[in-house]
Amino acid sequence: MPHDHPTASSSSAYPVTFSPIALGPRTARNRIWLAAHATEFSTDGTFADASADYYAERARGGVAVITMEAMAVHPTTRPRRGVILAYEAAVVDSYRKVAAAVQPHGTLLMAQLWHRGRQTDGIISRLPTWAPSPVPDTVYREIPHEVTRREIDELVAHYVLAARHAMEGGVDGVEVHGLAHGYLLGQFLSPATNHRTDEYGGSFDGRIRIVRRIVEEVRQVVPADRVLGIRLNSSDGPGQNGLDNADWVRIATEIESWGALDYISTTQGTYLDRMQIYGTSAARPAGYEVADTANITRAVSLPVVAVGRITTPEMAEDILASGKAQFVGMARQLIADPLWPVKAEQGRPDDIRPCIGANWCVASFARGPLACIHNPQVGRERQFRQDETRQRRRRRVAVVGGGPAGLRAALTAAELGHQVTLFEQDDTLGGQVNLIARAPSYREWTGVTDWLTTQLARTDVAIQLKHRVTVNDLVGRYEAVVVATGSTPLRHGWTARRPERWARDAAALPGSDQWNVYTPVEILTGSVELPNRILIVDDTGDRQAFITAEYLRQRRHAVHVVSQYPQLGHAFADGHDLPFAFGQLRRSGVTFTPNVEVNAIDGDTVTLTDVFTGETSQLPDVDGVVLILGNTANDLLARELDGAGLDIHLVGDAQAPRRIFNAIWEADTAARTI
């Protein structure tokens, strides 16, 4: 079907991306759309000051449209404390606060109204979950209450109430959510989850009835000069017994025929496979949703928003120029770099901080406010703006260590005007990220350090490689020192269940000093010649065991992973890619044994103890053992500098071995205090 393609701008390398387009009664200044995503900045059900700052930064960066985070339309859909309560009157003033911060930049602001249905629980709300039928979700496993006709009327009324609040708050439009991602309205639409026999079930017309009621009644309170859109799936995903692309094309054409909407925003997936919703770099290729979206675009005349790991300006331009969609939607990429549009329009694509698909953003809001693995600005945009204008004395700064922490500290210090020298004892920058990337699924993670290295090359930072720093290199030459010397893998063999064995003078695990016992660094650097059958002992529950196992399987080693924990990989489960990582390794032949710890290594035999029963067993024919126990901080230099009269900052693994996020956050924070 025909679409409006305004004349492309000739002032950009990406002319279609930066051309304006009509969006109902409004005009979007370009085709870049910040898709809705959780932030958890709220503490009281309304938008916080941090919310306004966060969205304003993306508007300042050049996005045409912002759809704010999904907002609850009813008390029965409150999965986390940080959710905005769109049905409460108190939200109106907070809308005005966000609108006042965003709209002066020429960005349209949309409120997304949402009910999760069965895909939540009642722990926060203390209410039963509501759904069309009492079918539990695979994640929360709470049996929902089957809504009555009266309660359906209540749900429709709450969507309308929430839309009215958004209009009173001065936003540019409303996006009806709930059809996509397997939420409430999608549960009504899908025969897999709607088993009703009344007028809201059975036939296609019955299953879509509640959606039509909501759209038409919300349109009554959204004036003709404001925008009304809808978010729906382009596919529920393979193997889900739900709605496929053809079903969603039919739904989209039906919804358009009602004549109430101004645009359609697409996405994919349900909680049966959340990698279909926000796939990591390992689980989903860039642009993985676009082909299905294109089928919807061809079937309707409304503008369509495409999403699905769209990261580069080249990718965006291709999608738009080929008519697969009229807008490109991004969430994670604009979290990573809110200035993506400005940098692209100015012809600076290499300056864009890449989203590496690590899903730290997803993991972070499971426990607290939104964060990005390598953008420390997220959630403290106002502080960054103030730092840019604060007067400070130029100081001579040494940064010791060229991993993520050292690179970030050096870049931030240089950007703030300091004279910086970066020392690295190896012949390359990047630190442990270089090792992570040895596993094919994690190659994109080098985007963190590659970007930092590229940005450093554009400053006057002096970089000295193959230089092991001593106290004498620093004292009398520098005023401030950032120590980012990283960490070293432990190899004493004991798990965290044996804290008394971690003392420096304690005896190591019997056999842990054998020739065939390795650390993951030795494996990933290829510095040792490995035998065939490898046992990985994982006591961290993090990605390192999975990375090492993948690396070994790529080289055709037989791999068995054991852990004291009931679930391996639990430490990265919040990113939701654990099922994918497990499945990938299991398909490749890796075996797993939970609930055991190693209590001896004797030649090629490993003795295991069940952590619950104390029962022992033996694994024979183990050619090599990899110990993943955690790391010890390389903090000797910082201790030697204590009392030397320098401004010392110990950051990242050198302070306490943790995650890339912590390393970059601490390094940036330290540089801002110099």
Side-chain angles (χ1 to χ4, degrees):
M1 292 183 121
H3 289 88
D4 178 20
H5 288 286
T7 302
S9 166
S10 60
S11 61
S12 167
Y14 314 104
V16 182
T17 303
F18 290 98
S19 62
I21 184 173
L23 187 64
R26 304 292 171 98
T27 298
R29 56 177 168 166
N30 59 50
R31 310 299 186 89
I32 306 164
W33 196 303
L34 176 63
H37 55 278
T39 68
E40 299 300 295
F41 296 145
S42 174
T43 58
D44 62 358
T46 68
F47 290 101
D49 289 345
S51 307
D53 295 339
Y54 175 80
Y55 289 123
E57 183 68 11
R58 274 92 198 138
R60 191 181 77 88
V63 297
V65 189
I66 291 174
T67 300
M68 294 176 285
E69 57 219 79
M71 292 168 266
V73 299
H74 192 269
T76 53
T77 182
R78 193 176 183 187
R80 304 174 305 274
R81 290 191 180 277
V83 169
I84 304 298
L85 306 180
Y87 57 88
E88 294 282 7
V91 77
V92 174
D93 284 341
S94 72
Y95 276 133
R96 293 172 180 150
K97 174 170 58 181
V98 178
V102 167
Q103 290 167 337
H105 295 286
T107 299
L108 302 177
L109 189 65
M110 307 293 295
Q112 189 183 73
L113 310 183
W114 157 83
H115 195 295
R116 290 167 68 104
R118 71 186 185 125
Q119 289 184 169
T120 188
D121 57 35
I123 292 175
I124 299 298
S125 71
R126 303 189 182 185
L127 296 170
T129 56
W130 283 10
S133 300
V135 180
D137 165 55
T138 57
V139 175
Y140 292 93
R141 291 297 303 162
E142 184 167 301
I143 303 293
H145 162 69
E146 181 176 326
V147 291
T148 64
R149 291 184 181 87
R150 180 186 59 78
E151 289 163 341
I152 289 174
D153 293 342
E154 184 179 333
L155 283 167
V156 174
H158 268 70
Y159 265 95
V160 173
L161 174 64
R164 184 178 291 113
H165 287 158
M167 295 300 95
E168 292 170 1
V171 304
D172 295 286
V174 164
E175 183 173 291
V176 174
H177 191 21
L179 284 75
H181 295 167
Y183 292 134
L184 178 71
L185 303 183
Q187 292 159 32
F188 271 94
L189 285 167
S190 176
T193 50
N194 184 346
H195 305 158
R196 302 175 73 93
T197 57
D198 64 7
E199 66 269 33
Y200 292 97
S203 68
F204 176 81
D205 289 342
R207 289 182 280 113
I208 205 169
R209 188 182 307 276
I210 186 174
V211 180
R212 182 164 189 167
R213 283 191 60 189
I214 288 169
V215 168
E216 292 181 343
E217 294 188 36
V218 165
R219 181 81 262 185
Q220 295 302 309
V221 299
V222 175
D225 66 345
R226 310 277 187 101
V227 181
L228 179 60
I230 198 163
R231 192 160 215 215
L232 47 76
N233 271 358
S234 59
S235 171
D236 286 359
Q240 296 196 29
N241 300 316
L243 301 168
D244 61 17
N245 181 238
D247 294 321
W248 283 106
V249 169
R250 180 188 182 191
I251 290 166
T253 55
E254 170 66 18
I255 287 172
E256 181 185 39
S257 73
W258 302 337
L261 294 166
D262 297 310
Y263 73 87
I264 292 172
S265 178
T266 66
T267 183
Q268 282 191 359
T270 75
Y271 280 17
L272 278 170
D273 179 5
R274 287 189 280 188
M275 284 297 94
Q276 198 70 22
I277 301 175
Y278 26 62
T280 61
S281 57
R284 296 292 186 273
Y288 68 95
E289 299 182 27
V290 174
D292 284 338
T293 295
N295 291 332
I296 290 178
T297 303
R298 284 190 287 268
V300 301
S301 58
L302 292 172
V304 174
V305 186
V307 300
R309 296 208 68 229
I310 300 168
T311 56
T312 68
E314 292 76 15
M315 185 188 307
E317 183 72 9
D318 177 71
I319 291 167
L320 297 168
S322 61
K324 296 182 178 71
Q326 285 68 53
F327 289 91
V328 287
M330 307 174 200
R332 289 173 294 176
Q333 179 55 66
L334 289 168
I335 297 170
D337 195 339
L339 301 183
W340 189 102
V342 168
K343 293 175 180 178
E345 190 168 26
Q346 292 176 351
R348 299 160 46 211
D350 291 345
D351 282 343
I352 293 172
R353 182 193 285 112
C355 172
I356 63 168
N359 273 7
W360 182 256
C361 49
V362 177
S364 67
F365 71 68
R367 304 188 188 188
L370 180 69
C372 175
I373 195 169
H374 68 136
N375 179 7
Q377 179 188 36
V378 174
R380 51 177 189 165
E381 284 79 9
R382 184 173 301 185
Q383 176 187 333
F384 269 59
R385 292 286 154 236
Q386 293 169 344
D387 280 348
E388 287 179 353
T389 58
R390 180 165 64 88
Q391 295 296 314
R392 48 171 49 86
R393 182 173 65 87
R394 179 177 170 89
R395 305 179 74 187
R396 298 185 308 278
V397 178
V399 177
V400 185
L407 293 170
R408 181 70 258 182
L411 180 58
T412 300
E415 289 174 339
L416 295 175
H418 297 299
Q419 180 183 341
V420 182
T421 301
L422 173 65
F423 297 94
E424 167 55 47
Q425 67 179 3
D426 291 333
D427 58 1
T428 57
L429 299 171
Q432 293 188 50
V433 173
N434 296 335
L435 300 183
I436 292 171
R438 300 291 178 89
S441 294
Y442 295 89
R443 282 178 183 152
E444 271 194 63
W445 287 45
T446 59
V448 174
T449 48
D450 287 349
W451 182 82
L452 288 167
T453 301
T454 299
Q455 297 304 301
L456 273 179
R458 295 171 182 170
T459 70
D460 60 0
V461 172
I463 299 175
Q464 295 192 25
L465 299 176
K466 301 175 70 173
H467 187 117
R468 190 176 186 89
V469 172
T470 67
V471 171
N472 291 336
D473 291 321
L474 305 173
V475 175
R477 301 181 183 183
Y478 299 95
E479 298 165 88
V481 179
V482 179
V483 179
T485 44
S487 61
T488 303
L490 291 163
R491 60 180 311 146
H492 53 55
W494 300 109
T495 71
R497 291 170 54 82
R498 302 284 181 261
E500 73 283 0
R501 299 290 191 175
W502 286 52
R504 288 186 176 88
D505 58 352
L509 179 82
S512 60
D513 58 350
Q514 288 184 175
W515 67 271
N516 62 342
V517 178
Y518 312 97
T519 68
V521 169
E522 291 171 321
I523 300 295
L524 296 171
T525 56
S527 62
V528 292
E529 186 174 345
L530 293 171
N532 178 45
R533 290 161 298 190
I534 305 293
L535 178 71
I536 296 176
V537 181
D538 176 32
D539 192 47
T540 67
D542 215 329
R543 294 184 186 273
Q544 207 164 28
F546 286 73
I547 291 167
T548 307
E550 182 180 341
Y551 176 87
L552 289 168
R553 283 300 299 145
Q554 285 283 315
R555 285 149 184 80
R556 301 186 180 279
H557 294 279
V559 181
H560 182 183
V561 184
V562 299
S563 175
Q564 62 151 310
Y565 298 110
Q567 178 184 346
L568 285 85
H570 68 276
F572 67 93
D574 285 340
H576 303 318
D577 60 334
L578 179 57
F580 168 81
F582 251 124
Q584 177 179 247
L585 291 182
R586 290 185 65 180
R587 285 190 296 272
S588 75
V590 176
T591 56
F592 298 88
T593 301
N595 304 320
V596 295
E597 63 175 341
V598 175
N599 59 27
I601 305 169
D602 184 7
D604 63 357
T605 299
V606 176
T607 302
L608 304 174
T609 300
D610 186 295
V611 298
F612 295 112
T613 68
E615 180 182 358
T616 62
S617 60
Q618 290 188 326
L619 286 177
D621 302 323
V622 175
D623 297 333
V625 178
V626 182
L627 298 176
I628 301 180
L629 312 171
N631 286 23
T632 184
N634 295 333
D635 59 0
L636 179 60
L637 178 63
R639 295 180 186 277
E640 291 175 341
L641 289 169
D642 189 27
L646 297 174
D647 180 15
I648 306 298
H649 301 268
L650 185 62
V651 300
D653 276 13
Q655 179 172 207
R658 287 152 296 154
R659 308 162 192 87
I660 296 174
F661 166 79
N662 301 97
I664 290 177
W665 172 272
E666 289 172 1
D668 183 78
T669 301
R672 291 178 185 279
T673 63
I674 293 173

